[in-house]
Amino acid sequence: MDCLFFAKVVYLMKRFLLVSYGLGMWVTSAEPLSVQDRYRTLRTIAGKGEDGTRNSSWQTAFEGGNPRDAELSRPHDCGTDAMGRVYIADKDSNGILRVSADGSEIRTVAGTHDNSPVIPDSPDTPTPATEVNLLDPNGLHVFADGSFLILDLGKSKVRKVNAEGICETLFTYSAGFGNGRGLVATPDCQSVYFCGETIIGGLQRVKRWSAVDGLFETLAELPGSFGNIDLAPDGSLLVTCRQAHQVYRLRDGVDPEVIAGTGNASGNTVSGSPALTVALEEVRGVAVLSDGSYFLATHKGGDVWWVDLDGNAHLFLQGRGSGDEQGGDGQDRTTPGDKISEPRGLHVATNGDLLITTNDSGLIRAISNIDDRAVPEVSLSPDLSINWQAEGWRQTFLIETSPNLAETVWTSVGAITSTAGGLQNFNLEPSSKRKQFWRIRVPRLAGGE
């Protein structure tokens, strides 16, 4: 159930009638749920999961249809926006797909699905995203407003698609992305992190691009084929090294630190053990929660792990390292038995759900987050803005307005995104002097609760 806060607003000389009064408290749980209690029920967001060939499975007939009836083509990553829509990097179909917030339809939002032997390049200048030829897109970063970045592996480019669906090349990295996959940006897109080229000795570079000067910086050279990367709340970067079976943390001016994995494919897999003593076979996916704890996915191990703030690794979702397992929909994640196979990407959605990109047959799974805690304090200021103090894990809220309280007439006017503990401000920018209602709500995600 969404946590909603309603404020009846009356414009009076461009000020709010209630401007000098606190607008109250949101209903919150007395104590936040633990990560292990927060994530419960498993469901499938997209993918039929019946075609595991290394070819495009995309068909025109899938456009606008049920996402769970569509065959995906070796998807490698996914992301979400503040409206609760899910974006999928469908690598072998050379397209980016989007699932609607209610989970009822799937559509192409970037790429042409061209799979001819020679795929021509597309302009770097602004072009409708569905007219841009992509080649093996296997990295994705989605912003709250619905704009997104694409790691176009085959073209050695990172492209940006704005919220209106117009694509342009953000930068070209001629040295290439190695095996690709890793792509993450700061919320203002001033810094973009990605997995760079493979060099002598089996090392691969971690790179950072700056929008300020357009230059590239090498952050580290690490062993093993990379799996994925994610930014932590403290600004550090987590990197999974798939063939090295380890996870690194990168900080500016500090040597890379191994934080999980023994470096061996086999060994201790006892839940609750220190993460540095656990064998993480081909660790590939990583997703950081706003408290700094993080999830890991082991491709050949087949499992999802959660590493707590004390550095202990807990088996979070059981799977296997081969096949096209897709069991457990509607069940609690702790129900015995394998639920997934070959997990390759993880993403903490804007509503807190954990999204898992799995196996070559192409499935996007989700573990529903049941913690409905919201921001505890909201106030209105004289400059027609909402101020609130964020606490806990929640990162994104929708701002909506309506002339009355009927559920069907609410219009989204923006979103607030932050890490825990940040003071946020959102300008309402009123268009007329009239009685209005505003609400802040948690986005629902692709058919979830």
Side-chain angles (χ1 to χ4, degrees):
M1 179 179 179
D2 291 333
C3 288
L4 303 179
F5 177 86
F6 297 93
K8 190 173 182 178
V9 178
V10 179
Y11 291 103
L12 182 62
M13 300 295 291
K14 294 187 177 181
R15 295 170 62 90
F16 290 103
L17 182 63
L18 302 179
V19 86
S20 62
Y21 300 94
L23 293 183
M25 305 288 286
W26 285 32
V27 177
T28 65
S29 55
E31 294 292 337
L33 294 176
S34 69
V35 171
Q36 290 169 308
D37 290 335
R38 182 186 309 164
Y39 291 97
R40 305 312 313 178
T41 307
L42 191 66
R43 71 184 191 278
T44 297
I45 287 180
K48 196 171 184 180
E50 295 180 355
D51 186 358
T53 61
R54 288 177 174 250
N55 298 294
S56 176
S57 300
W58 188 255
Q59 301 174 20
T60 303
F62 295 152
E63 294 284 354
N66 187 327
R68 290 160 292 283
D69 291 335
E71 287 288 359
L72 305 184
S73 308
R74 288 208 307 147
H76 270 61
D77 204 0
C78 68
T80 54
D81 64 20
M83 282 64 76
R85 300 176 295 189
V86 178
Y87 299 70
I88 303 167
D90 202 35
K91 181 178 179 181
D92 281 7
S93 82
N94 294 328
I96 306 299
L97 310 174
R98 186 174 70 195
V99 178
S100 59
D102 64 2
S104 66
E105 67 173 35
I106 188 168
R107 292 190 181 276
T108 301
V109 290
T112 61
H113 298 295
D114 187 345
N115 280 108
S116 56
V118 179
I119 300 175
D121 203 357
S122 294
D124 294 329
T125 52
T127 305
T130 52
E131 297 177 10
V132 173
N133 289 322
L134 304 176
L135 181 56
D136 295 337
N138 68 346
L140 185 67
H141 181 86
V142 182
F143 297 96
D145 67 351
S147 60
F148 55 95
L149 302 181
I150 307 168
L151 191 146
D152 193 350
L153 177 64
K155 299 296 184 180
S156 299
K157 297 178 179 182
V158 169
R159 304 183 191 266
K160 183 172 184 179
V161 179
N162 66 21
E164 288 72 45
I166 302 301
C167 178
E168 60 183 319
T169 297
L170 192 64
F171 60 81
T172 299
Y173 189 66
S174 57
F177 301 122
N179 289 321
R181 304 189 189 98
L183 180 68
V184 67
T186 54
D188 59 6
C189 203
Q190 291 300 291
S191 295
V192 178
Y193 301 79
F194 61 95
C195 297
E197 70 273 29
T198 301
I199 59 176
I200 295 174
L203 300 177
Q204 190 171 0
R205 287 177 171 152
V206 183
K207 307 291 291 190
R208 177 169 57 199
W209 173 83
S210 170
V212 175
D213 53 22
L215 298 179
F216 299 98
E217 177 186 2
T218 297
L219 302 182
E221 296 175 348
L222 301 178
S225 172
F226 292 159
N228 245 305
I229 60 178
D230 199 13
L231 281 169
D234 64 1
S236 63
L237 185 72
L238 272 60
V239 183
T240 59
C241 296
R242 180 178 175 184
Q243 300 302 326
H245 316 294
Q246 288 182 311
V247 183
Y248 285 79
R249 186 186 299 275
L250 306 184
R251 291 187 174 93
D252 287 342
V254 179
D255 289 339
E257 175 191 8
V258 178
I259 58 173
T262 62
N264 297 313
S266 60
N268 174 38
T269 56
V270 177
S271 183
S273 301
L276 286 168
T277 71
V278 174
L280 300 171
E281 186 177 9
E282 293 195 12
V283 59
R284 190 168 175 179
V286 58
V288 186
L289 288 165
S290 60
D291 66 357
S293 65
Y294 55 94
F295 294 105
L296 299 172
T298 55
H299 181 92
K300 281 299 180 185
D303 302 319
V304 175
W305 294 78
W306 170 60
V307 180
D308 64 27
L309 294 177
D310 294 322
N312 297 315
H314 306 267
L315 181 62
F316 205 74
L317 186 68
Q318 181 180 331
R320 52 193 175 95
S322 62
D324 55 1
E325 182 62 53
Q326 52 181 309
D329 275 359
Q331 297 179 1
D332 190 275
R333 65 171 179 83
T334 61
T335 303
D338 295 334
K339 307 293 190 303
I340 58 173
S341 58
E342 296 184 349
R344 57 191 50 171
L346 297 173
H347 170 71
V348 178
T350 48
N351 74 333
D353 286 2
L354 177 64
L355 272 57
I356 311 166
T357 305
T358 72
N359 69 61
D360 286 345
S361 294
L363 294 164
I364 307 298
R365 312 292 300 280
I367 307 177
S368 295
N369 157 57
I370 64 170
D371 189 347
D372 274 335
R373 285 189 311 125
V375 290
E377 192 169 316
V378 181
S379 62
L380 204 60
S381 59
D383 62 351
L384 306 181
S385 63
I386 294 174
N387 299 284
W388 57 280
Q389 183 73 28
E391 289 185 1
W393 58 271
R394 187 80 73 189
Q395 290 184 288
T396 302
F397 294 85
L398 285 177
I399 310 295
E400 297 178 331
T401 185
S402 172
N404 58 62
L405 296 181
E407 184 61 33
T408 58
V409 295
W410 289 93
T411 301
S412 177
V413 294
I416 295 174
T417 302
S418 78
T419 54
L423 181 63
Q424 298 297 304
N425 177 282
F426 183 85
N427 195 331
L428 298 178
E429 298 181 352
S431 58
S432 63
K433 299 177 182 180
R434 56 187 171 85
K435 187 180 293 185
Q436 241 176 323
F437 291 87
W438 302 85
R439 72 180 181 183
I440 306 173
R441 74 172 178 88
V442 177
R444 292 182 177 176
L445 181 75
E449 297 294 329

